[in-house]
């Protein structure tokens, strides 16, 4: 590991010594080529801001490809690129979008509330409100998934302007985020929708506490509450110490196989019984208590163990990115924040390039201050 970290830092040092004539597009390719070589441990030793000014490269990449962009200075005096994301710019940014994560707020100044949602790679998640779902919901989880590029082509000037703080991810971070979101979509565990006191039906795999509304979900504010309750559910099934259980080599291998299965399953094929086959049940045979003779109970244990593992790791990744409970673009202060995306079909590209953009919702506002065109 130390050798890998040293080699990676050496590559970064070499990259920083490149002449300024290197094109922005080439810089983006170098960033992309480096990321797959970067695992979680190496990532912890690298300060992306000081070693690799990826924000400036992203801004220059956007400008070179005629994507509307400007800089906005965050509260720490650091310039963050602000990029207009729409049906025209989305395909040009595909490589970045596939390898990033973003927390979003839809500005709804004429409604009673703004709306929180997120983007995980190529999918927008929790776009609609319960009871008014468009396409994409499955298993009645309340979390609609929409393909990003398809969604961008459906937006009109009347669509709610949406702001996103995005984070370029390491491959490990991307895998963990994809895994957790697919576990949620498959309803391996469910969370109550609590906005306005709504409770909802008593679904299987439903947690009693840690309820969510849109902003709690997109910022993962209840994830550790979920972890705590899931731990209690596992204890009732005989797994008293899930952390120790997950350290077992056989269980590590089993969890890795389940993660691969879930990550490789298409979003529309995920479902709450997907781990019920005999082959998957057999992977965890070494930890079933003697009283668990029923396959349905064994499946319940596996679902909770997978939910525990994926939720805990998801919380740790978002903590590492610096995601907070703040709304709007406040999280752009984080060192790991790479760019701010603006979904706004009513924005004038020329004015956007000249850094004259501003907007506001019911409680989120964005004044056009400390903004600069990209040179």
């Amino acid at each position: 590991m130390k050798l890998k970290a040293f080699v990676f830092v050496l590559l970064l040092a070499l990259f920083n010594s490149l002449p300024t004539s290197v094109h922005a597009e080439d810089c983006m390719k170098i960033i992309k080529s480096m990321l797959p070589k970067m695992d979680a441990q190496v990532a912890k030793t690298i300060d992306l801001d000081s070693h690799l000014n990826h924000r400036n490269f992203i801004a220059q990449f956007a400008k070179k490809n005629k994507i509307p962009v400007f800089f906005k200075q965050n509260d720490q005096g650091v310039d963050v690129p602000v990029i207009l994301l729409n049906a025209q710019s989305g395909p040009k940014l595909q490589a970045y979008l596939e390898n990033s994560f973003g927390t979003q707020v839809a500005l709804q100044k004429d409604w009673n509330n703004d709306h929180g949602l997120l983007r995980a790679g190529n999918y927008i998640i929790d776009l609609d409100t319960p009871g008014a779902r468009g396409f994409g919901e499955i298993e009645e989880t309340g979390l609609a998934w929409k393909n990003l590029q398809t969604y961008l082509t459906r937006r009109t000037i009347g669509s709610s302007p949406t702001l996103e703080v995005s984070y370029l991810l390491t491959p490990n971070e991307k895998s963990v985020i994809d895994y957790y979101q697919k576990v949620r979509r498959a309803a391996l565990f469910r969370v109550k929708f609590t906005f306005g006191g709504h409770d909802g039906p008593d679904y299987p795999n439903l947690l009693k506490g840690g309820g969510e509304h849109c902003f709690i979900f997109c910022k993962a504010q209840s994830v550790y509450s979920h972890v705590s309750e899931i731990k209690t559910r596992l204890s009732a099934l005989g797994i008293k110490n899930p952390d120790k259980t997950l350290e077992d080599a056989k269980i590590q291998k089993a969890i890795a196989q389940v993660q691969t299965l879930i990550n490789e399953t298409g979003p529309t094929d995920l479902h709450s019984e997907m781990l019920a086959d005999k082959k998957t049940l057999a992977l965890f045979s070494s930890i079933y208590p003697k009283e668990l003779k029923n396959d349905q109970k064994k499946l319940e244990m596996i679902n909770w163990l997978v939910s525990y593992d994926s939720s805990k790791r998801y919380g740790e990744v978002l903590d590492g990115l610096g995601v907070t409970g703040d709304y709007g673009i406040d999280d752009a202060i984080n060192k790991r924040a790479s760019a701010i995306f603006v979904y706004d079909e009513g924005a004038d590209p020329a004015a956007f390039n000249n850094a004259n953009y501003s907007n506001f919702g019911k409680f989120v506002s964005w004044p056009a201050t400390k903004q600069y065109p990209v040179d």
Side-chain angles (χ1 to χ4, degrees), residues 24-325:
E25 188 171 11
D26 295 331
C27 293
M28 198 65 181
K29 288 179 180 178
I30 294 173
I31 294 171
K32 282 173 55 187
S33 70
M34 285 184 170
L35 284 175
K37 300 179 178 66
M38 187 176 176
D39 63 22
Q41 291 303 314
V42 175
K44 290 177 182 178
T45 70
I46 302 297
D47 181 339
L48 289 176
D49 279 337
S50 63
H51 288 279
L52 185 61
N53 190 357
H54 62 297
R55 291 171 179 158
N56 186 56
F57 292 150
I58 290 167
Q60 294 297 333
F61 176 85
K63 184 174 181 180
K64 182 179 189 299
N65 286 277
K66 297 181 170 53
I67 299 170
V69 58
F70 63 85
F71 278 123
K72 188 171 185 70
Q73 191 177 97
N74 68 21
D75 291 342
Q76 290 185 339
V78 177
D79 291 340
V80 180
V82 179
I83 297 172
L84 190 61
L85 187 58
N86 53 30
Q88 290 71 48
S89 63
K92 298 176 182 178
L93 292 160
Q94 184 62 31
Y96 176 94
L97 294 168
E98 285 179 352
N99 294 287
S100 62
F101 166 84
T103 60
Q104 304 181 346
V105 56
L107 306 179
Q108 302 177 152
K109 61 178 182 291
D110 298 325
W111 291 34
N112 290 329
N113 207 344
D114 294 331
H115 178 54
L117 57 163
L118 62 85
R119 179 183 59 79
N122 290 322
Y123 290 94
I124 300 284
I125 303 176
D126 200 20
L127 181 63
D128 303 320
T129 56
R133 293 294 178 193
F135 58 95
E137 186 179 1
I138 194 168
E139 288 276 343
E140 297 182 344
T141 57
L143 299 175
W145 281 44
K146 290 179 173 60
N147 178 272
L148 173 64
Q149 301 296 349
T150 302
Y151 165 65
L152 290 175
T153 64
R154 293 168 65 99
R155 285 179 58 88
T156 67
I157 291 178
S159 301
S160 297
T162 299
L163 311 178
E164 174 189 318
V165 178
S166 74
Y167 304 83
L168 198 58
L169 302 174
T170 68
N172 180 67
E173 289 168 340
K174 174 178 167 53
S175 178
V176 169
I177 288 175
D178 289 346
Y179 178 43
Y180 172 82
Q181 294 300 340
K182 285 191 169 185
V183 165
R184 290 294 302 269
R185 182 174 173 83
L188 297 190
F189 78 100
R190 301 171 187 262
V191 178
K192 290 182 179 180
F193 176 67
T194 58
F195 186 75
H198 177 70
D199 203 357
D202 191 17
Y203 290 112
N205 307 331
L206 182 68
L207 295 178
K208 294 179 180 178
E212 296 174 332
H213 55 63
C214 59
F215 282 107
I216 291 176
F217 167 71
C218 78
K219 295 288 191 169
Q221 289 175 271
S222 289
V223 68
Y224 290 116
S225 174
H226 301 161
V227 167
S228 178
E229 184 176 344
I230 293 170
K231 188 174 183 179
T232 300
R233 299 289 186 97
L234 283 167
S235 180
L237 290 168
I239 304 297
K240 304 298 183 183
N241 189 337
D243 291 307
K244 185 174 181 180
T245 298
L246 289 167
E247 290 174 0
D248 181 89
K250 289 182 180 178
I251 302 306
Q252 284 183 16
K253 184 177 180 180
I255 286 289
Q257 288 181 250
V258 167
Q259 180 171 347
T260 298
L261 169 65
I262 291 174
N263 276 351
E264 291 181 353
T265 300
T268 57
D269 294 324
L270 296 160
H271 58 89
S272 58
E273 299 287 316
M274 66 180 297
L275 304 181
D277 63 280
K278 295 288 186 182
K279 183 178 179 182
T280 304
L281 290 173
L283 292 174
F284 297 86
S285 59
S286 63
I287 61 168
Y288 295 135
K290 292 181 180 178
E291 58 270 22
L292 278 190
K293 301 183 187 217
N294 182 290
D295 279 356
Q296 195 59 38
K297 278 292 183 183
K298 292 178 180 178
L299 174 62
E300 183 182 347
M301 174 183 285
I302 294 175
N303 281 353
W304 286 127
L305 189 62
V306 168
S307 298
Y308 180 86
D309 169 66
S310 59
S311 297
K312 186 176 179 182
R313 287 201 278 153
Y314 182 71
E316 291 168 351
V317 166
L318 264 59
D319 286 345
L321 296 178
V323 175
T324 72

